[in-house]
Amino acid sequence: MTDITHSDAGRLAPLWPLAAGSALLALLWLGPLPQMARASFSAHMVMHMGVVAVVAPLLAAGIVRAAPAFVAALPPGLAIVASVVEFAAIWTWHAPALHDAARVEPLFLVLEQGSFLAAGVLVWTSALGARAAGVCGLLLTSMHMVLLGALLLLSPRPLYACADVCSSTAALTPLADQQLGGALMLIIGGSAYLVGGLALLSSILRERAPIGEAG
């Protein structure tokens, strides 16, 4: 019995990213953030960045460990397509009408968060499988995260109907709340995908270095 238990533990240990990602996702979606996000753009952004920049790479790492053959068989071009899909999802859901709907309507919030999770997992999983193309996909995603974050941070006026959506007891003005959310996207989102792309590039170069030295 002890041998079987140790064997099972050994097989399950590499899958810890799936468990960690699932636990964090439950905390983000079932904790206080969804309610806080109704009254705070920055709280909404914390939930968004948690899903795409932390949960998604954890789940992708778990998928790679659980099904390496499946991930290796993914076409390299999928990493670029996935980055375009995530670009479309993020920019679409940050259009004022859709974003405001997600802040007040549970159905739209579920659709928004579900699309963020699906796009994020697709980007990270395809990047880890494609390697070289994955570097391009992650760096492209980092760029548009930074661009949107800067737009939100530097806008001279609120882009959303925060005066109607936010609580009258909100600690920040609508503009300050939006600016904080933009800074979170710029720093967390931009950095996560940039670091992921550079780490992937570094692993490729390390693998090729012995070949170059031998030549």
Side-chain angles (χ1 to χ4, degrees):
M1 178 66 71
T2 302
D3 292 340
I4 294 176
T5 301
H6 285 319
S7 176
D8 291 341
R11 287 196 300 269
L12 293 175
L15 303 183
W16 69 263
L18 280 175
S22 299
L24 179 57
L25 185 64
L27 179 63
L28 291 172
W29 283 358
L30 302 179
L33 273 176
Q35 184 61 36
M36 293 170 62
R38 290 177 61 89
S40 171
F41 180 86
S42 52
H44 190 276
M45 188 61 72
V46 169
M47 186 163 56
H48 176 190
M49 291 298 100
V51 168
V52 301
V54 184
V55 169
L58 283 172
L59 294 181
I63 292 170
V64 170
R65 294 182 177 202
F70 168 76
V71 175
L74 295 174
L78 181 61
I80 305 300
V81 173
S83 69
V84 174
V85 169
E86 186 166 34
F87 169 84
I90 289 175
W91 284 75
T92 296
W93 280 108
H94 282 86
L98 283 176
H99 174 81
D100 287 337
R103 293 275 291 279
V104 297
E105 296 292 341
L107 175 60
F108 280 90
L109 179 63
V110 169
L111 291 174
E112 178 205 57
Q113 292 295 305
S115 65
F116 287 163
L117 178 64
V121 170
L122 181 62
V123 166
W124 286 99
T125 303
S126 60
L128 294 175
R131 307 294 298 282
V135 173
C136 296
L138 291 176
L139 293 182
L140 286 172
T141 305
S142 174
M143 291 170 62
H144 79 72
M145 286 273 192
V146 168
L147 180 60
L148 181 54
L151 175 65
L152 295 169
L153 175 63
L154 300 176
S155 175
R157 60 180 179 81
L159 301 177
Y160 305 103
C162 200
D164 297 324
V165 175
C166 292
S167 167
S168 60
T169 61
L172 298 174
T173 65
L175 181 58
D177 192 28
Q178 177 181 291
Q179 290 172 335
L180 177 57
L184 291 171
M185 171 173 271
L186 194 157
I187 295 171
I188 300 174
S191 297
Y193 286 88
L194 176 61
V195 170
L198 293 179
L200 197 55
L201 177 60
S202 177
S203 70
I204 295 172
L205 295 177
R206 284 198 304 270
E207 291 175 1
R208 294 182 178 179
I211 299 176
E213 292 171 2

